[in-house]
């Protein structure tokens, strides 16, 4: 039975050990008697759920991190469990990941979550920096956990599927727009570029400023146009990620099951025994690398996450970090995967997914072009990835879908739906460096 609390499969992945998908981390045990949610017996979880519900709807929930954590954990774990046991959703729509995102978003849309709780969760995720905190742990642990030879060998050729994803998305968008009678320039500028632009903070927001300066109107006007494209693109990226995972199981030759490189032999690094002290070191060093990214951003006009990725990669390649710290970062990464992903997914639904914006722009032609953008990105990246020695499915997911989602939050959701969280460093390269590339393209087309 699949579950959040089930131990990792003993599979040998390319980066560092196997990790489970969202659909494999929500519930463990056999039968009701042994059922557990979030690594606790079902009886204990029910008590947590009831206490959380009473505190939420009586206005007595503690503020800040405490209230936000128990609300997101209790709600997200239940929704993930349901999603992984609903046949069509489980098979075709990302299972627990997509339910944990969209049900909270629908609850927000219908005002089913009290305003105090919404404000607390928003402050916790954004103002409190929890999202940055978790993503920093995922980036640092995943990159430091990569074999150095793999990092060097894969990194230099990753730009090829990245560029192919951009070309494929624009090409399919233009073709679909021509078929449905949609303006070709708008298909590229208003739909394709925002979807491929690295999410809200690194994509839509600066893009709206560029559009405002070049075309007039207030930036908020363009934000209202760009956001629905991002949201729907993220939905399709989740769905296609889940379908690609299924395709990899059906055609094993197309997938590396989490490995991105084909025909590349290396000596796997032995995993150190669990050490909570080392895990604390992993927590601290991941935060330090994020701080370094922001320091470098003062001098280099690139997103801090991108600079963080480059910094961690350089330090990994030079092997100057003590092995104990590497082990700690790897173990902290696994802790984040096991315990924090469901929190992030539920928070994404509450804070970042605007159902009203999505519904307000729905039309057949609009949806078809967005689908074409995401499919084009996956196809372009997958084909180009195969040509440069990557597994097509892993290339399509990272260089394609992780360009077409909502940045760092979308990376977590897509990789979770695709059961490939170990590809986080490549996903972040797509979101951050790829997003910068899209802004350059948008500037060129505008001026």
């Amino acid at each position: 039975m699949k579950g959040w609390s089930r131990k990792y499969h003993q599979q040998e992945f390319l980066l560092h050990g196997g990790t489970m998908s969202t659909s494999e981390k929500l519930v463990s045990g056999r039968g009701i008697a042994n059922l557990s949610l979030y690594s606790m017996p079902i009886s204990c979880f029910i008590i947590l759920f009831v206490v959380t519900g009473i505190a939420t709807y009586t206005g007595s929930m503690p503020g800040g991190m405490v209230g936000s954590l128990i609300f997101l954990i209790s709600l997200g774990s239940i929704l993930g469990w349901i999603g992984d046991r609903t046949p069509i959703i489980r098979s075709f729509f990302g299972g627990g990941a997509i339910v944990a995102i969209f049900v909270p978003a629908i609850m927000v849309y219908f005002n089913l979550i009290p305003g105090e709780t919404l404000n607390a969760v928003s402050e916790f995720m954004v103002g409190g920096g929890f999202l940055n905190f978790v993503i920093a742990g995922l980036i640092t642990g995943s990159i430091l956990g990569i074999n150095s030879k793999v990092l060097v060998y894969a990194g230099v050729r990753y730009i090829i599927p990245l560029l192919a994803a951009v070309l494929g998305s624009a090409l399919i968008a233009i073709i679909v727009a021509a078929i449905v009678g949609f303006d070709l320039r708008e298909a590229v500028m208003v739909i394709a570029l925002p979807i491929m632009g690295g999410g809200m903070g690194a994509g839509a927001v600066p893009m709206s400023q560029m559009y405002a300066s070049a075309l007039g109107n207030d930036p908020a006007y363009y934000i209202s146009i760009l956001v629905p494209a991002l949201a729907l693109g993220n939905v399709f990226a989740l769905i296609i990620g889940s379908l690609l995972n299924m395709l990899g199981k059906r055609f094993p030759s197309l997938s590396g099951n989490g490995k991105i490189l084909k025909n590349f032999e290396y000596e796997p690094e032995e995993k150190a025994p669990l050490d909570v002290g080392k895990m604390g070191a992993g927590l601290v060093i991941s935060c330090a690398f994020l701080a370094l990214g922001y320091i470098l951003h003062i001098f280099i006009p690139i997103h801090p996450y991108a600079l963080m990725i480059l910094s961690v990669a350089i330090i990994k390649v030079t092997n100057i970090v003590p092995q104990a710290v590497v082990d700690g970062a790897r173990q902290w990464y696994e802790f984040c995967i096991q315990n924090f992903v469901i929190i992030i997914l539920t928070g994404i639904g509450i804070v970042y997914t605007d159902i009203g914006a999505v519904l307000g722009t729905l039309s057949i032609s609009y949806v078809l072009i967005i689908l074409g953008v995401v499919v084009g990105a996956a196809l372009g990246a997958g084909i180009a990835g195969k040509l440069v020695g990557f597994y097509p499915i892993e290339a399509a997911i990272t260089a394609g879908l992780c360009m077409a989602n909502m940045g760092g939050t979308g990376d977590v959701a897509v990789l979770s739906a695709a059961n490939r969280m170990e590809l986080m460093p490549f996903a972040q390269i797509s979101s951050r460096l790829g997003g910068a590339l899209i802004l350059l393209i948008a500037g060129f087309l505008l001026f």
Side-chain angles (χ1 to χ4, degrees), residues 418-432:
N419 192 15
R420 283 166 174 80
M421 288 296 292
E422 62 271 29
L423 294 175
M424 178 58 74
F426 296 101
Q428 287 289 302
I429 291 172
S430 298
S431 292
R432 305 307 167 187

Side-chain angles (χ1 to χ4, degrees), residues 155-179:
V156 295
R157 61 183 64 193
Y158 190 71
I159 188 65
I160 304 300
L162 203 64
L163 291 172
V166 177
L167 180 61
S169 65
L171 181 61
I172 300 298
I174 290 172
I175 292 173
V176 175
I179 293 173

